Structure formats: structure tokens, C-alpha cells
Amino acid sequence: MVTAPTTVTITGAGGQIGYALLFRIAAGDMLGPDRPVRLRLLEIPQGMRAAEGAALELQDCAFPLLDAVELSDDPRVAFDGCNIALLVGARPRGPGMERADLLAANAGIFGPQGAAIGASAAVDVRVVVVGNPANTNALIAAASAAPDVPADRFSALTRLDHNRAVGQLAEALAVGPGAITDVTIWGNHSATQFPDVTHATLTRPDAPGERTPLLAALALRLGGHEQAIAWLDDVFIPRVAQRGAEIIQVRGSSSVASAANAAIEHVRDEHHGTPNGWTSAAVVSRGEYGVPEGLVCSFPVTSDGTGYRVVEGLELDDRGHRRLDASVAELIAERDAVRELGVVR
Ligand code: NAX
């Protein structure tokens, strides 16, 4: 049976993350080896030459799954009939730019893009926002696509933070990342995020079917429970939250391949399911864990292939609640700023 191609629209396709994404999507890493894709590249006129260059290189790869590559600088064309949208292109913070200016500049991008998705995307469209400030940009896009596209089709990327957290824990415990499950990133994709290991588990190589609490394994390795908590508070949480800055300092440029990889894993798991425990994604809150309804907040999530659902019923201690509340307060302030612009209700 011949499968109809899935139309995947990537905004900011001429940028760094766009360049890292296109080839992996065309190779089948995101949707699987039996799903042909049609790529739509949306850029602003200044980014169009770079996108055209990427399109030439895609042709030179002769990917068997790549049905077509189409370029546009018009959101209404780029999102027409699209099944999956990765919103990567955003306005970066310029020198002297206040947060309100940054939010306003991005509202001018994500508002019209959301409206175009509402007007012309396929009925099954799902959208992930990568461009920063990702959570609030997703809020703006979802509000602008309503009522044509349900809000639960929109999410924002915190999978990179999740993967960074797993990487740090794997190093500290001297295990492979695959041994660690059920880590959570709560809150905003920003320095206020809360990387949480309270419910995380570790699979021991000598007992593959058995899972032990990760916190207990950390305490064993670091010389006690107090030492483990101190390491989490003083080393782990700040390192994960500041990892983007560390990459810029060492590499001289922001995270690119790891960000593209995270976006691919986010979409892959949303569409194919999460069989090995939960992952993290920022989704529209329905009031879970006291997070005000409508905010796009990172939670522990699972998918059965039909979209991310928040894992409910986990206990957070006082420390955890304080950290989540601080990040949610930042999300509320961002939402209130865009409310003032009249972009969301
Ligand atoms: P680049 O500056 O390399 O690329 C951005 C591209 O977007 C440019 O080619 C630009 O022309 C294009 N663009 C700007 N406005 C557009 C519009 N209205 N429509 C279509 N295209 C538009 O940035 P890059 O390194 O690719 O990063 C992209 C975004 O990802 C940034 O906002 C960045 O902050 C964000 N990130 C988000 C991460 C996350 O985990 N959520 C991690 C990585 C990254 O920092």
C-alpha cells in the first residue's frame, strides 16, 4: 500500500536548527522509515537564500522518503494542508530589548502563523513551538488558531531540557542514559524551569527488569541523602537550567544539533507513543498540579500516539512546589504581558 506523504512545515528553515532538522526528517528519523514526507520551508525574505541552499542539498541526498520540498515566505501557503508544524523561526532578543518588546515582536510572528494554521492546516494538524520564548509563543499561536484547531494540538519544546537532565544524571551515576526513566521538567523553558528527579527510576544493568528509585541510587553514590539533595540543588538543577549558556560559552554558538534532535524526539514520541515511561513537554494546562488553565507549561507527559497527556497524581514536596510556583509565576507574567497586547484573552 502506498502511504500518502505527511506534510511537515518548518519555520525558520534557513536558520541553524532548521538546517539540522531538515535532513533528519527527510531521512525518516521523525516519522519512521515507511512515512514519506513533503517538506514546506517557511522563511522571511532575508532567510530565503539559506533555505534555498538547504533545499538544493536535500535534493542531492536523494532521500527515498522525500516526496517534495516547497519554499515560501507566506504562512498561508506554507501551512496549507500541513499535518505537522515545527515553529522554529523566532525573533531573538536584541541588545537593550526589554522582555515586553521581545514578547511583542514574537506575538507579531506567532499570531499570524497561528491564524494561518487555523485557516488552512489539515484537520489533524499538530504543532510544536521551538522558537523562544517557546511556551508563550505556543500560547499565542494556539490562541490565534482557535477555534479552528483545538488547543491541545499545540505544545512547546522542553525535551532538550529533559534530555540534558538525563545526560547529567547518567554522568553522575556512571550509567547509560537509557537506564534512567521518569525525569520531569516542570514549568517554563527558561532559567526558572524545575528539573525534577523525585519520581525518576534507574534500571540496574545487573537486573534489567528491576527499577530502583534514582534518588536512592544518587544517595548511595554521593554518600547520603543530604549530599544527594545538595547536589541536586547546587549542581544539577542550575546546570540543566543554564546548559544553553554553557553550550554558547564552549561552542561559541547556541545549541543546534541537540535542539533539532529534541524536536524530532518530541514529535516522534507524540505520534508513535511513549512506551518507556514519561517524557517532558510543555502543553496547555487544564489545571493540573494547580497550574492555571490555559498556560503552556512543561509537565510529565505520555502519549499513546494520539497526543500528549499530562501524567497526573504525582506528589511534589514543598521544595518542588516552590520551584514549580516560581516558574509558573514567570509564565503568568509572560501571559499577562501578551494579554496587554490584546493577543490572548
Ligand atoms: P537562527 O537565528 O539560526 O534561525 C532562525 C531563523 O528563523 C532565521 O533563518 C530567520 O530568518 C527565521 N525567521 C525569523 N522570523 C521568521 C518568521 N516570521 N517566519 C519564518 N522564519 C523566520 O536561530 P536557531 O539557532 O535556529 O534557533 C531558533 C529558535 O530556537 C530561537 O528562538 C532559539 O532561541 C530557539 N531555541 C529553543 C530551544 C528549546 O529548547 N525550546 C533550544 C534551542 C534554541 O535556543
Side-chain angles (χ1 to χ4, degrees), residues 201-296:
T201 58
L202 180 72
T203 309
R204 295 206 327 262
D206 53 329
E210 268 177 48
R211 288 180 174 181
T212 50
L214 188 134
L215 206 48
L218 264 182
L220 202 63
R221 190 153 178 97
L222 298 175
H225 182 74
E226 271 177 31
Q227 285 85 342
I229 297 294
W231 181 81
L232 289 170
D233 284 344
D234 302 339
V235 180
F236 170 74
I237 292 174
R239 186 139 201 225
V240 172
Q242 306 290 342
R243 184 69 161 183
E246 185 183 345
I247 299 290
I248 291 173
Q249 206 183 27
V250 175
R251 211 175 88 83
S253 168
S254 56
S255 304
V256 176
S258 57
N261 177 67
I264 281 170
E265 291 186 346
H266 174 111
V267 175
R268 182 199 65 197
D269 288 358
E270 186 179 8
H271 285 76
H272 292 288
T274 46
N276 304 313
W278 66 70
T279 183
S280 303
V283 297
V284 178
S285 169
R286 290 179 304 161
E288 296 94 339
Y289 298 97
V291 176
E293 227 171 288
L295 285 184
V296 177

Side-chain angles (χ1 to χ4, degrees), residues 4-9 31 35 38 40 79-85 121-127 153 271:
T6 301
T7 300
V8 180
T9 302
L31 297 177
R35 292 271 296 273
R38 178 182 298 136
R40 291 266 180 76
F79 293 116
D80 186 27
C82 113
N83 307 104
I84 297 174
V123 287
D124 64 351
V125 68
R126 288 201 213 139
V127 184
R153 303 288 187 75
H271 285 76

Side-chain angles (χ1 to χ4, degrees), residues 95-130:
M97 206 174 183
E98 297 295 330
R99 192 180 61 167
D101 303 331
L102 181 73
L103 289 166
N106 279 295
I109 294 174
F110 289 84
Q113 288 184 359
I117 289 168
S120 64
V123 287
D124 64 351
V125 68
R126 288 201 213 139
V127 184
V128 55
V129 175
V130 177

